[in-house]
Amino acid sequence: MILQQYPHLEGQIGDILQDPERLLFIFDGLDESIHQMDFRSSKLSNPKQRTRFDEIAVSLVRQSLLKGCSVLMTSRPTRLTSVDNVFQRIVEIMGFLHEDRRIFFNNFFGNEEWSEKAFHYVQENDTLYTFCYIPAYCWIICTVLSMCFRAQPTITDQLMTSLPKTVTQLFVTFVSNILANHSQNTDGAHTARELLTSMGWMAEHGVMNHMIVFDERHLESFIVRNDKHLFSSFLMESGQPPDVDYTFLHLTLQEFFAALVHFIDYNADKIQKTLDGAESYEDGRAEIFLRFLCGLSDSSTRSMLKFHVGELSAQAARHVITWIQKKIPEQRPDTSIRGNRDLLNVFYYLHESRNKALVSQCIGSNNIDFSGVPLSPVDCSVLSFILQSCKELEVNLRSCRIPSEGLRKLIPALHNIKSLRLSINHLTDSSCPHLASGIRNNPTLRTLDLSMNNLEGPHFRDLMAALTTSRIEELQLSYNQLTDSSCPHLASGIRNNPTLRTLNLSVNNLEGPHFRDLMAALTTSQIEKLQLDTTHLTDSSCPHLASGIRNNPTLRTLDLSVNNLEGPHFRDLMAALTTSQIEELQLDQNHLTDSSCPHLASGIRNNPTLRTLDLSMNNLEGPHFGDVMAALTTSRIEELQLDNNHLTDSSCPHLASGIRNNPTLRTLNLSGNNLEGPHFRDLMAALTTSQIEELQFYNNHLTDSSCPHLASGIRNNLTLRTLDLSGNNLGGPHFSDLMAALTTSRIEDLQLS
């Protein structure tokens, strides 16, 4: 293999192979190789053994051959899925960064006006600008724009709107300008059409067979005329006769000609065979080619070539459009299209086609879910085009690792989205101005999920200011490292906000002097559900919470779980509860003790609105627990959670008084307590006169001796439908009493695990 490339080393090859650690093998273009390499296994160990190239390369990489040598391999990313765990290091070539691109444009044009206009145009065009990270694309883009500027030296608005917007249009313009220059020296369109046809079929053969290097035999086979003027504009020669090789100026140019030929020389069977073949390749070799096919389905894009090569086939365009339509999976109306890289490629096809009606037809009213699929800036640009072609979709981009540049490209599409989920995307405070511009005066967006990012910072105020002019009804901001200093901005966002109904601020750190601003603004908002769980609130926050809910006409659900509200000011919160409209209150895991029970009692006593109260995972056992149970009888509570409250048998008489003849209570959770004992019978006796439908006794240390009491509670009980007795120890002679009573009960769901 070495001597084929370097015959002059024949006399030294033995010495060279003696010292593998001094050898570096460079294989350029794994994705362009005709060999399907399996990097999982290697058998070759003898450097003198004749075998296939792919076996040699794999064995060098796996170090079964010439152990200690170094191997450097380049590839397009699409071919790298099979080598992730093989190489010691994988490096992504970032190409030109922003400043590098500007420098390249300045150097290329020389003319400051042209350079500035060209760079500004490309920067505004997401697709072209993103492709500029590849130096070869940067050169092609600058070449095309300089051709346009030279053809019309005065830069007008009309010229700027006629410049290419997609990669297909870029290459169409590139080829058109070369053909325009060439036609001045030849007989024009006929020659160009002939050459592009023959050269196109050769290019297509290469794309479909992983071939980028051609020789004289290929030129003869495809009847490619070596017209030095036009031929050399697209193909490069290397080597000396008789061993002359030909390659296209760039692999992408080969892929463009491979697609173009189907529109110059349309044949239904040929194009279908090509489409079927392209879909079967798992290594991504045909992706760019397919994008060009779809791009050329746009009549305005094709028309740019008409003067130089004559009419391009409209039948081919219809054939390609039909193929695209079949690529979108069949969905039931109003369901989600589950996104992956394959679907993203279809979106690229649609983007190149510029056919908004086709996009709308393909996507319809289906929602789009790309959660967990990493999205680059250019992916976001393509997705933005798709979303702007549809109406009122629900879009899930959870955990897509969207960079700031990608987020900026998505913003224009927010006016076409009804619901957007951007959780777990490493968004920071610097993302807030982009988000603000997307929601400001937005008449469509109703749900925005920004949870599990890091939005704390000076620009968070921009987002909140924009919230006041939006129509958002649900905003998720949990897990965002927001602090007390964000409360004034949050307050400005919800104050007099006419549309916001749900606000989730869970798992932030809002305790502090500015928390009062948020609560003051709550009274003028239309918020119905507020989640403040795990926000480090303490007893000192209770007066502010009280002012927020007192006489509040809209708030229906308040989640204060996993805070630390025990203390003297807790009474303020409970007093305000009686004048609120709250229907669901969650106070689980708040370090509440028996001393809080009188305050809880005053909050629920004769309370006309409260329906659900969660007091789980506190420590309410004690003499004042009876106050809560007494107040329960005059409340309208339908669901009460008391699990994991250190309640014992001595609490059973209080529990019994709370449920006895209680007309509203439907669900009672007493799991994770220790209710076994002589007073357990009181609770079961009261159960028979209650309206309880669901009762949970999971993990309560109940034994066989409790079974007669359980039996009396369910026997002929007309309301109880669900009973959970899991995690107890009911085995014994009295268990039969429970089972006998079961036959006369109305229980539908019994848990004895």
Side-chain angles (χ1 to χ4, degrees):
M1 183 183 72
I2 295 172
L3 293 179
Q4 187 178 12
Q5 296 291 320
Y6 308 105
H8 61 280
L9 295 177
E10 187 163 9
Q12 302 159 264
I13 190 70
D15 295 334
I16 290 171
L17 298 182
Q18 281 296 316
D19 197 356
E21 291 187 359
R22 298 183 63 188
L23 286 177
L24 167 64
F25 291 89
I26 301 177
F27 298 108
D28 187 21
L30 171 67
D31 58 297
E32 297 163 12
S33 169
I34 59 173
H35 301 283
Q36 291 293 325
M37 299 187 198
D38 182 2
F39 285 95
R40 290 169 297 186
S41 62
S42 59
K43 303 179 181 125
L44 194 61
S45 58
N46 181 1
K48 294 183 180 179
Q49 180 182 338
R50 179 177 290 276
T51 185
R52 299 194 317 270
F53 163 78
D54 56 310
E55 286 191 6
I56 298 172
V58 168
S59 299
L60 289 170
V61 170
R62 299 293 294 185
Q63 296 282 286
S64 66
L65 181 63
L66 298 182
K67 185 175 176 59
C69 74
S70 298
V71 180
L72 175 65
M73 202 171 272
T74 69
S75 174
R76 279 180 173 175
T78 50
R79 189 72 183 274
L80 287 178
T81 51
S82 61
V83 302
D84 279 352
N85 300 318
V86 176
F87 287 86
Q88 289 177 324
R89 182 177 301 165
I90 293 181
V91 177
E92 182 180 354
I93 305 299
M94 299 304 293
F96 284 163
L97 301 177
H98 174 79
E99 281 307 312
D100 301 323
R101 300 174 204 186
R102 185 178 283 280
I103 291 168
F104 186 93
F105 272 68
N106 290 340
N107 292 343
F108 184 94
F109 285 97
N111 179 315
E112 188 176 344
E113 184 194 7
W114 286 11
S115 168
E116 189 60 36
K117 282 282 188 184
F119 189 75
H120 178 73
Y121 173 76
V122 171
Q123 198 172 8
E124 290 300 305
N125 184 306
D126 296 331
T127 309
L128 297 186
Y129 180 71
T130 307
F131 271 111
C132 274
Y133 83 92
I134 305 171
Y137 271 112
C138 219
W139 175 80
I140 290 173
I141 289 169
C142 287
T143 301
V144 167
L145 295 180
S146 68
M147 289 171 170
C148 296
F149 292 163
R150 287 192 181 93
Q152 190 176 327
T154 305
I155 298 176
T156 62
D157 290 342
Q158 186 179 359
L159 170 65
M160 299 305 286
T161 55
S162 68
L163 296 177
K165 296 176 180 61
T166 66
V167 180
T168 307
Q169 289 177 357
L170 176 73
F171 277 83
V172 165
T173 310
F174 180 64
V175 171
S176 295
N177 278 287
I178 290 174
L179 294 176
N181 294 333
H182 173 74
S183 64
Q184 297 168 11
N185 308 314
T186 68
D187 59 354
H190 181 66
T191 306
R193 190 177 182 98
E194 278 185 350
L195 179 65
L196 292 185
T197 302
S198 55
M199 196 164 57
W201 287 121
M202 184 175 79
E204 201 245 27
H205 174 77
V207 168
M208 303 308 288
N209 292 281
H210 239 155
M211 187 184 301
I212 62 167
V213 180
F214 305 92
D215 56 30
E216 290 289 350
R217 289 171 301 170
H218 293 109
L219 265 60
E220 290 173 12
S221 174
F222 289 99
I223 320 172
V224 180
R225 272 177 45 194
N226 191 340
D227 167 359
K228 288 297 178 188
H229 293 292
L230 190 54
F231 181 91
S232 60
S233 298
F234 301 127
L235 285 156
M236 297 183 296
E237 294 184 17
S238 60
Q240 298 296 322
D243 299 319
V244 179
D245 289 330
Y246 302 92
T247 54
F248 285 87
L249 290 181
H250 192 272
L251 172 58
T252 316
L253 186 62
Q254 178 183 336
E255 291 164 321
F256 173 75
F257 283 133
L260 179 61
V261 73
H262 287 286
F263 290 84
I264 296 175
D265 186 17
Y266 171 67
N267 178 291
D269 293 336
K270 276 187 178 180
I271 195 170
Q272 190 57 50
K273 182 180 178 183
T274 297
L275 288 168
D276 292 342
E279 285 189 275
S280 69
Y281 298 129
E282 296 180 359
D283 55 16
R285 76 177 77 165
E287 283 309 323
I288 304 297
F289 159 72
L290 288 171
R291 290 180 198 175
F292 281 135
L293 266 182
C294 298
L296 289 166
S297 70
D298 175 44
S299 58
S300 60
T301 301
R302 293 197 307 276
S303 67
M304 298 160 71
L305 281 166
K306 182 177 178 180
F307 179 79
H308 306 294
V309 297
E311 285 287 349
L312 296 179
S313 172
Q315 284 178 287
R318 286 193 291 272
H319 198 127
V320 171
I321 287 170
T322 301
W323 174 79
I324 296 175
Q325 289 170 325
K326 293 177 180 175
K327 292 292 288 177
I328 299 289
E330 283 288 330
Q331 302 284 330
R332 294 191 307 276
D334 299 316
T335 58
S336 288
I337 298 177
R338 188 69 182 91
N340 52 29
R341 296 310 301 184
D342 290 338
L343 181 64
L344 198 55
N345 280 326
V346 179
F347 283 5
Y348 270 90
Y349 306 153
L350 291 166
H351 175 260
E352 285 295 322
S353 77
R354 310 307 291 171
N355 191 333
K356 291 196 170 190
L358 178 61
V359 175
S360 181
Q361 182 186 343
C362 288
I363 305 300
S365 59
N366 292 300
N367 302 321
I368 293 175
D369 182 356
F370 270 100
S371 54
V373 179
L375 298 176
S376 69
V378 72
D379 293 336
C380 292
S381 179
V382 168
L383 187 55
S384 183
F385 169 80
I386 298 298
L387 298 176
Q388 288 180 73
S389 305
C390 301
K391 288 184 179 178
E392 298 198 1
L393 297 179
E394 294 183 12
V395 180
N396 187 351
L397 301 179
R398 184 178 189 271
S399 191
C400 290
R401 287 183 257 166
I402 296 172
S404 180
E405 189 181 345
L407 179 64
R408 185 177 64 82
K409 296 176 191 309
L410 282 170
I411 292 309
L414 261 59
H415 283 259
N416 296 66
I417 296 174
K418 183 169 60 177
S419 169
L420 176 61
R421 305 205 174 273
L422 285 169
S423 54
I424 322 179
N425 266 296
H426 306 288
L427 303 180
T428 64
D429 168 63
S430 62
S431 305
C432 287
H434 301 317
L435 291 165
S437 68
I439 71 172
R440 190 178 290 115
N441 298 317
N442 187 321
T444 310
L445 192 65
R446 294 291 186 270
T447 300
L448 179 60
D449 182 356
L450 296 171
S451 53
M452 303 184 82
N453 289 294
N454 184 7
L455 299 182
E456 169 78 6
H459 297 296
F460 182 65
R461 72 172 65 196
D462 300 338
L463 179 60
M464 291 298 99
L467 181 64
T468 59
T469 66
S470 76
R471 300 297 298 276
I472 288 175
E473 297 174 359
E474 179 182 343
L475 179 61
Q476 300 283 338
L477 288 170
S478 59
Y479 289 91
N480 258 289
Q481 302 186 40
L482 300 178
T483 65
D484 168 64
S485 60
S486 295
C487 286
H489 310 317
L490 285 164
S492 69
I494 71 171
R495 188 179 292 115
N496 298 318
N497 187 311
T499 59
L500 191 66
R501 296 292 185 270
T502 299
L503 178 61
N504 186 350
L505 295 171
S506 304
V507 200
N508 288 293
N509 186 2
L510 302 182
E511 170 79 5
H514 298 297
F515 182 66
R516 72 172 66 197
D517 299 338
L518 178 59
M519 291 297 98
L522 181 64
T523 59
T524 65
S525 76
Q526 296 295 310
I527 289 175
E528 297 174 0
K529 181 177 183 180
L530 178 61
Q531 293 169 264
L532 289 169
D533 57 287
T534 324
T535 50
H536 301 269
L537 300 180
T538 64
D539 169 65
S540 60
S541 296
C542 286
H544 309 316
L545 286 164
S547 68
I549 70 172
R550 188 178 291 114
N551 297 318
N552 188 312
T554 58
L555 192 66
R556 295 294 185 270
T557 299
L558 178 61
D559 185 353
L560 294 170
S561 52
V562 200
N563 287 295
N564 186 5
L565 300 182
E566 169 79 6
H569 298 296
F570 182 65
R571 74 172 66 196
D572 299 338
L573 178 60
M574 291 298 99
L577 181 63
T578 59
T579 66
S580 76
Q581 297 295 310
I582 289 175
E583 297 173 359
E584 179 179 344
L585 178 62
Q586 296 181 23
L587 289 168
D588 53 292
Q589 297 186 70
N590 258 287
H591 304 275
L592 300 179
T593 65
D594 170 65
S595 61
S596 295
C597 287
H599 310 315
L600 285 165
S602 68
I604 69 174
R605 188 178 292 115
N606 297 317
N607 188 311
T609 58
L610 192 65
R611 296 293 184 271
T612 299
L613 178 61
D614 187 350
L615 295 170
S616 55
M617 301 186 77
N618 288 293
N619 185 4
L620 300 182
E621 169 77 6
H624 297 296
F625 181 66
D627 299 342
V628 178
M629 291 297 101
L632 181 64
T633 59
T634 66
S635 77
R636 303 296 295 276
I637 290 174
E638 297 174 359
E639 179 181 340
L640 179 61
Q641 301 284 337
L642 287 170
D643 55 286
N644 295 286
N645 258 289
H646 303 274
L647 301 179
T648 64
D649 169 66
S650 60
S651 294
C652 286
H654 305 314
L655 287 165
S657 68
I659 70 172
R660 189 179 292 114
N661 298 316
N662 188 311
T664 59
L665 192 66
R666 296 293 184 270
T667 298
L668 178 61
N669 185 353
L670 294 169
S671 301
N673 290 295
N674 186 3
L675 301 181
E676 169 79 6
H679 297 296
F680 184 64
R681 73 172 65 197
D682 299 339
L683 178 58
M684 290 298 96
L687 180 63
T688 58
T689 66
S690 76
Q691 298 294 310
I692 290 175
E693 297 174 359
E694 180 179 346
L695 181 59
Q696 298 181 35
F697 280 131
Y698 175 85
N699 197 17
N700 254 288
H701 304 274
L702 300 179
T703 64
D704 170 65
S705 60
S706 295
C707 286
H709 309 316
L710 286 165
S712 68
I714 70 172
R715 189 179 292 113
N716 298 317
N717 188 310
L718 299 178
T719 60
L720 193 65
R721 295 292 184 271
T722 298
L723 178 61
D724 187 352
L725 295 170
S726 302
N728 290 293
N729 186 8
L730 301 181
H734 298 296
F735 182 67
S736 59
D737 298 342
L738 177 60
M739 291 298 100
L742 182 64
T743 59
T744 65
S745 76
R746 304 293 292 274
I747 289 175
E748 298 172 358
D749 180 358
L750 176 63
Q751 301 286 332
L752 290 167
S753 59

